[in-house]
């Protein structure tokens, strides 16, 4: 006896996500529009959305817009239910100009992108230790920015401060300056510019100290998590906890979704882009990809160019061949991306060894 499940038509879903609601649509195997409906962006709404899609047939895959933002929780719920989730970019301007813009149109477009194969990216799972690293790094990054801003404002106030106050802190290094300013006593009469300046500097200095404490606490929390997520990554020369944390956040909890180290190089914006025409054969700099990951690779390269003997020998050899420093750094970033990819996809019980620089020559 044949099961009725196998006789049901195969369908593909698409979801246009928003903060409070998600609009879902389903199409059949040849792209015909079957139905669309709006659901609340709640746990109950996600389950109702899945049940509604499955009521139309065998659900092959679901294309979700914004799996890293409004669609993050929906993607987790669908994945936990055994549904293949595909990350879909919003339609380009040309498509929107021709077809218009509405929630049903975008939902059907997401389903069509999956059905046609135009969208095939597997989203980050966002359900493991790497997600924990990512969210903690957000707090750390904002604390670093606040500390830097406080320091810049302190120096700006000191430029125009009364000479008595400027001479009191002249020649102090940053740590001593912050300690001195945090102990200032402005007095009760803040109508005087000197007293008001002292009050402002004291508040900024204490804010700087508070951010220092917060950053130290976050570093203590992030270190073990990074070690747990990718110990092989920390074994690489020039890779510290901060750099490793950024590379982990860029790759996600499921780096295996990237098919090759070349795919990771494109993600980090270090894969050269062909720019040949006629008799000219060359590559240009890739200005796309995750710029934070690109910056992390840049910091690794800078460290190696200063302290790693094999990298310094490579730089010297390529300089004699006529390459400029930016060109050499581009080559080095591409090579480091290869090592990082292997480290990210290495099991925790394994270790990798650094290879020779010949492959990027």
């Amino acid at each position: 006896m044949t099961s009725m499940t196998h006789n049901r038509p195969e369908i593909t879903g698409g979801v246009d996500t928003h903060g409070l609601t998600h609009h879902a649509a389903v199409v059949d195997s040849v792209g015909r529009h079957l139905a669309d409906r709006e659901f609340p962006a709640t746990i109950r709404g996600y389950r109702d959305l899945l049940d509604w899609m499955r009521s139309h047939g065998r659900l092959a895959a679901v294309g979700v817009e914004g799996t890293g933002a409004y669609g993050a929780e929906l993607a987790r719920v669908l994945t936990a239910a055994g549904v293949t989730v595909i990350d879909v970019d919003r339609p380009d301007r040309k498509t929107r100009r021709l077809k218009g813009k509405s929630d049903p149109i975008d939902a059907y477009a997401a389903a069509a992108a999956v059905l046609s194969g135009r969208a095939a990216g597997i989203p980050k799972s966002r359900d493991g230790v790497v997600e924990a690293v990512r969210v903690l790094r957000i707090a750390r990054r904002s604390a670093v920015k606040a500390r830097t801003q406080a320091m810049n404002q302190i120096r700006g106030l000191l430029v125009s401060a009364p000479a008595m106050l400027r001479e009191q802190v002249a020649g102090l290094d940053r740590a001593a300056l912050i300690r001195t300013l945090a102990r200032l006593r402005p007095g009760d009469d803040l109508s005087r510019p000197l007293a008001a300046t002292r009050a402002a500097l004291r508040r900024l200095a204490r804010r700087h100290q508070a951010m220092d404490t917060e950053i130290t606490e976050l570093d203590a929390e992030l270190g073990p998590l990074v070690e747990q997520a990718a110990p092989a990554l920390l074994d690489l020369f020039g890779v510290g906890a901060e750099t490793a944390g950024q590379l982990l956040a860029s790759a996600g909890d499921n780096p295996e979704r990237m098919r090759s180290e070349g795919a990771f190089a494109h993600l980090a914006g270090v894969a050269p882009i062909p720019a040949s025409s006629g008799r000219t054969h060359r590559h240009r700099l890739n200005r796309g990809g995750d710029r934070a990951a690109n910056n992390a690779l840049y910091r690794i390269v800078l460290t190696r160019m200063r302290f790693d003997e094999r990298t310094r020998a490579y730089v010297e050899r390529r300089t004699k061949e006529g390459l400029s420093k930016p060109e050499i750094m581009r080559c080095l970033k591409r090579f480091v991306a290869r090592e990082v990819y292997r480290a990210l996809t290495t099991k925790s019980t394994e270790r990798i060894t650094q290879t020779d620089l010949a492959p990027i020559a």
Side-chain angles (χ1 to χ4, degrees):
M1 182 174 178
T2 304
S3 172
M4 292 296 293
T5 303
H6 296 290
N7 295 329
R8 303 182 69 198
E10 185 175 273
I11 62 168
T12 302
V15 183
D16 180 33
T17 61
H18 300 280
L20 299 178
T21 61
H22 295 339
H23 203 99
V26 289
V27 299
D28 63 12
S29 58
V30 294
R32 288 176 295 196
H33 295 189
L34 298 180
D36 67 272
R37 183 176 166 185
E38 187 176 81
F39 296 87
T42 61
I43 293 295
R44 179 63 182 271
Y46 301 147
R47 294 170 181 167
D48 290 344
L49 183 153
L50 178 58
D51 292 340
W52 175 80
M53 283 187 171
R54 283 176 167 170
S55 69
H56 291 83
R58 290 184 292 112
L59 190 58
V62 177
V64 179
E65 284 190 15
T67 57
Y70 292 135
E73 182 62 19
L74 173 63
R76 282 190 284 261
V77 171
L78 294 177
T79 301
V83 177
T84 300
V85 178
I86 303 298
D87 189 18
V88 179
D89 294 332
R90 65 179 184 177
D92 57 26
R93 292 181 178 180
K94 180 180 179 180
T95 302
R96 287 189 167 178
R97 189 164 54 247
L98 293 175
K99 296 185 178 182
K101 168 73 175 76
S102 71
D103 292 348
I105 289 175
D106 287 349
Y108 279 119
V114 174
L115 183 64
S116 66
R118 181 178 63 82
I122 303 299
K124 297 178 183 179
S125 60
R126 299 181 182 274
D127 59 358
V129 65
V130 174
E131 179 65 5
V133 170
R134 185 188 72 84
V135 296
L136 287 175
R137 290 192 75 258
I138 292 175
R140 186 188 187 279
R141 186 164 59 248
S142 65
V144 170
K145 288 183 178 179
R147 183 180 64 177
T148 302
Q149 184 183 46
M151 192 67 228
N152 291 338
Q153 290 171 336
I154 286 172
R155 297 194 184 281
L157 281 175
L158 286 174
V159 169
S160 59
M164 179 189 303
L165 186 54
R166 283 189 284 114
E167 292 173 2
Q168 184 179 349
V169 297
L172 298 180
D173 60 23
R174 187 176 67 173
L177 174 66
I178 294 299
R179 288 195 302 268
T180 302
L181 295 179
R183 294 194 299 263
L184 287 177
R185 296 190 179 187
D188 298 329
D189 185 10
L190 296 183
S191 62
R192 295 182 297 111
L194 177 60
T197 303
R198 283 176 174 168
L201 288 171
R202 184 176 67 170
R203 291 181 184 277
L204 289 170
R206 291 181 177 180
R207 183 184 304 170
H208 189 284
Q209 290 177 331
M211 292 301 102
D212 256 340
T213 302
E214 186 174 331
I215 292 168
T216 301
E217 292 173 352
L218 284 166
D219 286 339
E221 295 166 350
L222 281 166
L225 294 178
V226 173
E227 174 67 26
Q228 177 185 344
L233 187 58
L234 292 173
D235 286 345
L236 297 179
F237 193 100
V239 179
E242 171 63 16
T243 305
Q246 177 56 60
L247 294 171
L248 283 169
S250 298
D253 281 292
N254 50 337
E256 64 277 0
R257 77 187 195 283
M258 295 178 289
R259 296 179 298 275
S260 65
E261 55 88 15
F264 175 74
H266 273 287
L267 170 67
V270 296
I273 304 298
S276 302
S277 179
R279 298 181 180 180
T280 301
H281 299 280
R282 68 182 186 89
H283 291 79
R284 67 172 177 83
L285 182 68
N286 186 347
R287 301 187 184 279
D290 188 328
R291 303 316 297 173
N294 188 283
N295 182 259
L297 296 177
Y298 176 80
R299 294 198 301 270
I300 296 172
V301 168
L302 284 181
T303 302
R304 292 188 177 189
M305 289 175 68
R306 184 172 182 180
F307 299 107
D308 185 22
E309 291 299 328
R310 65 176 190 143
T311 304
R312 295 174 67 177
Y314 174 81
V315 172
E316 183 179 356
R317 173 167 62 87
R318 298 293 274 174
T319 301
K320 291 180 179 178
E321 293 175 0
L323 268 68
S324 64
K325 185 176 179 180
E327 290 173 325
I328 295 172
M329 294 186 73
R330 177 186 60 78
C331 295
L332 286 170
K333 283 198 291 185
R334 180 65 180 86
F335 179 76
V336 172
R338 183 177 297 123
E339 287 187 345
V340 168
Y341 174 77
R342 297 206 331 260
L344 288 171
T345 54
T346 297
K347 296 180 180 179
S348 59
T349 56
E350 301 176 0
R351 286 291 190 271
I352 66 170
T353 57
Q354 295 182 1
T355 55
D356 187 66
L357 285 169
I360 61 169

